[in-house]
Amino acid sequence: MRNPLDSAELNAAMENVHRAGMPGLFAEVRDGDQIWRGAAGVADVTTGRPVTADMRHRVGSITKTFTAAAVLQQVESGQIGLDTPIGRYLPRLVPGERGDAITVRMLINHTSGLAEYLPYAYPSLKAFPALAETGPQSLDDNRLTRFHPTELIEMGVTAPAVGSPGGNPGVYSNTNYLLLGELLEQVTGTTAERYITRNVIERAGLRDTELPTEPYVNGPHSRIYEAWFGMIDPPRDYSVYDMSWVGPAASLISTVTDLNRFYGMLLAGEIVSPSSLAQMQRTVPVISQEGKTIDYGLGLHPMEAPGQGTFWGHGGSAWGAGALAMTSADGKRQMSVAVNLQRWNRLDSSGKPQPHPIDDALAALYRVAMYG
């Protein structure tokens, strides 16, 4: 099923992504005891400073696996019921019939029907998902904006529903994970960030991973470039950014090494119990923010190639920064990749993202990294 690590092949695949137009990327691939780390391109397009494989990076929605694991720990201790209505815990945030109908599980697997708050918090994204009618202005306007999670939650809860609770397919929404953050605070008596730090990040021994409280990435890191579908040209650096706009949904800073360690331990039953892990791997169809239908569990989703084994993990995107972390079901083979440009696809005349050479080059890198 799986081939040993081939350094030359991995290095070539990384260089191909850089040549296709990605300023910089870095990765770690593991196969049992074998570890390969590599980097290609630049961390700063102005100075030409190179990227290195140990850089700290904004990893976007990979945060959701950490938050889901924290909630499942509280399910194990009896503080949270997976199929208990969220209205029992947070009646003011999700009032009335919806609070009675939406369960904790529906929040974690995006089947709550709650809308995404982002187009309401960022006025220039109001037309999302009609990309051609969006603009990047509010990305700049909100660089140092401090949002409170409950104001963002209110935007998502009062917006028109995108489905009925428990409906199929679900619709991916960050509103769900901000609510899970408030739920953790309610039952643990500490902030979600503190609880996740103590019980997930520190438990896994992750030295370079944090939920940031300030707009800076501490330690060695790349600048991160946002193109917003060609509307920011040249792409702009968003490495300094207040991440309260996504909090426990997508604000995590980590390294490719820490991500592989975390997912390896998670799939080995060392972060949550084996029965909780089995719950995390029960999937439902969910429409992603790119409009594709994916299988999604509780903060985890699978990737598989024909005739190959299944990998579990998560992808993530923040303004300018992207990452993907995947681990084989048996935990032996792992891949974490970080990139420093986002939304590189320009829109065609119908407003759809056009294919770009980066897409094929990244897909080829993932194939080599996961299957050899």
Side-chain angles (χ1 to χ4, degrees):
M1 281 293 229
R2 218 173 43 234
N3 294 315
L5 298 185
D6 183 327
S7 296
E9 212 178 342
L10 285 160
N11 282 320
M14 294 275 285
E15 279 300 333
N16 286 342
V17 180
H18 173 52
R19 271 202 294 274
M22 179 60 63
L25 69 157
F26 43 102
E28 180 187 87
V29 182
R30 299 184 182 192
D31 195 297
D33 294 335
Q34 271 192 295
I35 300 174
W36 172 89
R37 292 186 191 100
V42 298
D44 186 325
V45 296
T46 308
T47 66
R49 172 171 61 96
V51 281
T52 56
D54 61 348
M55 283 182 159
R56 302 178 87 227
H57 196 66
R58 299 199 190 277
V59 298
S61 286
I62 287 173
T63 313
K64 290 183 173 68
T65 313
F66 287 70
T67 300
V71 172
L72 281 153
Q73 289 176 356
Q74 288 297 300
V75 171
E76 288 168 20
S77 69
Q79 296 301 303
I80 292 173
L82 207 43
D83 296 303
T84 301
I86 191 62
R88 300 247 184 104
Y89 303 105
L90 304 169
R92 284 205 294 278
L93 293 179
V94 194
E97 286 178 18
R98 279 213 287 183
D100 294 337
I102 295 170
T103 64
V104 174
R105 184 192 300 274
M106 291 172 200
L107 296 174
I108 313 178
N109 70 11
H110 298 291
T111 58
S112 68
L114 292 171
E116 173 62 58
Y117 60 80
L118 191 55
Y120 302 91
Y122 280 63
S124 70
L125 306 185
K126 191 161 188 250
F128 188 86
L131 296 174
E133 295 165 43
T134 65
Q137 301 85 333
S138 47
L139 277 61
D140 249 18
D141 297 342
N142 285 311
R143 262 180 200 271
L144 298 176
T145 302
R146 194 85 192 139
F147 287 103
H148 195 277
T150 55
E151 66 175 313
L152 297 171
I153 289 166
E154 189 180 1
M155 292 173 191
V157 171
T158 56
V162 293
S164 54
N168 196 341
V171 178
Y172 193 96
S173 168
N174 285 300
T175 306
N176 294 315
Y177 275 74
L178 293 197
L179 276 162
L180 293 170
E182 295 302 296
L183 171 63
L184 280 169
E185 184 164 341
Q186 175 82 16
V187 301
T188 65
T190 186
T191 65
E193 285 77 9
R194 274 196 214 105
Y195 180 84
I196 295 165
T197 299
R198 222 172 24 233
N199 296 280
V200 180
I201 295 170
E202 288 174 4
R203 180 189 282 200
L206 309 182
R207 298 209 182 109
D208 288 303
T209 300
E210 66 171 326
L211 289 160
T213 53
E214 53 184 35
Y216 306 99
V217 180
N218 295 314
H221 63 280
S222 172
R223 293 184 181 275
I224 48 178
Y225 298 100
E226 179 60 52
W228 194 257
F229 307 102
M231 295 180 217
I232 308 176
D233 190 16
R236 197 170 296 142
D237 169 30
Y238 282 124
S239 50
V240 175
Y241 211 95
D242 188 304
M243 296 302 287
S244 60
W245 66 281
V246 278
S251 68
L252 197 74
I253 292 167
S254 192
T255 61
V256 289
T257 297
D258 270 7
L259 291 178
N260 279 339
R261 179 178 172 86
F262 167 70
Y263 281 104
M265 291 179 71
L266 181 71
L267 287 165
E270 293 172 28
I271 307 289
V272 298
S273 70
S275 63
S276 292
L277 179 63
Q279 294 282 355
M280 292 179 84
Q281 292 175 312
R282 273 176 59 187
T283 65
V284 293
V286 167
I287 299 168
S288 74
Q289 284 184 319
E290 291 75 44
K292 298 181 181 133
T293 301
I294 58 170
D295 291 323
Y296 197 90
L298 301 184
L300 276 180
H301 70 84
M303 275 176 80
E304 45 212 322
Q308 305 280 8
T310 301
F311 278 66
W312 291 91
H314 214 290
S317 173
W319 307 135
L324 179 66
M326 284 284 156
T327 292
S328 60
D330 63 8
K332 297 268 189 341
R333 183 89 171 204
Q334 296 191 277
M335 165 196 88
S336 287
V337 179
V339 298
N340 65 2
L341 171 69
Q342 286 295 276
R343 284 158 284 275
W344 52 78
N345 306 81
R346 290 173 180 267
L347 304 179
D348 63 19
S349 55
S350 70
K352 289 208 171 69
Q354 294 176 296
H356 189 288
I358 289 174
D359 305 324
D360 290 340
L362 269 178
L365 169 62
Y366 298 155
R367 275 197 302 277
V368 171
M370 293 199 291
Y371 305 111

